[in-house]
Amino acid sequence: MNTVAPDWLWAFFIASVLVALFVDFVVLRKQGAHEVTVPEAVKWSVIWVALSFAFNALFWWALKTHDDPAVAAEANTRAFEFLTGYLIEKSLAVDNIFVFLMIFTYFSVPPAYQKRVLMIGIVGAIVLRTVMILVGGWLLAHFHWILYVFGAFLVLTGVKMWWAAGKEPDLSDNPALRLLRRWMPVSKQYDGERFWTVENGKRIATPLLMVISLVALTDVIFAVDSIPAIFAITSDPFIVLTSNVFAILG
């Protein structure tokens, strides 16, 4: 896979993600289950947007000061590609939010538990998208015509969205949800933030596990749309991955 990013920037990016996840799962975990207020959400959103722009500035500086003049000459273009990919992913994330809200409403997820669902969903999204982006980058490096496949898929997705416009979504008819319920018994009650509980001596799933499963599935579906959109902007897997992950973390 061809990328202009130096190895140390890859290492810095991976370390940044690990630190962010450590803060979420270890440091902020001490807060316990609580409802995220609007001021708290706004504060963290501003922090992550600022960190994303700071990383883009570091990316630009790393290329601008590169020993290879050809790489240095691409600094502005590559930085704009990151910014474009980031904004596209942020825009497409609005769809994710509406679907997540629909899932939370359908399962009557208490506000205090929603943060934990999203935190675990973020980890799943990062892992799945990393695999998909690296595979997509490898395919592009070996089969350039795959871009036309990505483009055709985006057109097909647009047609399906237009066809479904105005129709009331109904999770009860969702095939993934029916399959999950058939595959594992689910409790009717939440048991704190636990994913498994015991009823009548049997270990069964809680509704929270169903919610996380649907959130993860939703992100895979949206990733299939958003990742080809960014590959249409740049074929550099570093830019596609980092813009995706920073948008997800935000």
Side-chain angles (χ1 to χ4, degrees), residues 7-64:
D7 293 340
W8 68 264
L9 195 57
W10 276 97
F12 178 83
F13 166 69
I14 294 171
S16 300
V17 173
L18 292 177
V19 169
L21 295 179
F22 176 80
V23 170
D24 265 346
F25 282 91
V26 179
V27 179
L28 296 182
R29 179 66 175 162
K30 297 177 181 178
Q31 295 177 339
H34 74 286
E35 181 178 353
V36 177
T37 63
V38 172
E40 181 182 356
V42 170
K43 179 188 72 174
W44 281 107
S45 294
V46 170
I47 289 174
W48 275 110
V49 169
L51 288 175
S52 302
F53 279 92
F55 180 83
N56 195 20
L58 178 64
F59 178 45
W60 175 86
W61 176 83
L63 299 183
K64 199 68 176 178

Side-chain angles (χ1 to χ4, degrees), residues 121-220:
I122 286 172
V123 175
I126 289 175
V127 173
L128 290 171
R129 290 183 183 229
T130 298
V131 173
M132 295 173 69
I133 289 169
L134 293 180
V135 170
W138 182 87
L139 288 173
L140 279 178
H142 292 80
F143 311 102
H144 187 70
W145 52 264
I146 204 75
L147 268 178
Y148 298 103
V149 177
F150 287 166
F153 185 83
L154 288 175
V155 172
L156 178 62
T157 302
V159 171
K160 289 178 64 178
M161 291 176 63
W162 173 77
W163 181 261
K167 295 182 180 179
E168 189 70 24
D170 186 6
L171 271 180
S172 59
D173 292 332
N174 186 281
L177 181 57
R178 293 202 304 267
L179 179 63
L180 286 172
R181 282 175 168 163
R182 191 180 304 121
W183 179 61
M184 58 183 177
V186 182
S187 169
K188 293 182 179 180
Q189 303 294 329
Y190 287 92
D191 188 5
E193 291 186 306
R194 296 182 179 89
F195 301 140
W196 301 93
T197 188
V198 177
E199 285 188 1
N200 300 322
K202 292 182 62 178
R203 188 168 181 264
I204 62 175
T206 66
L208 204 62
L209 183 59
M210 297 288 285
V211 172
I212 288 179
S213 300
L214 283 177
V215 166
L217 179 62
T218 299
D219 187 75
V220 171

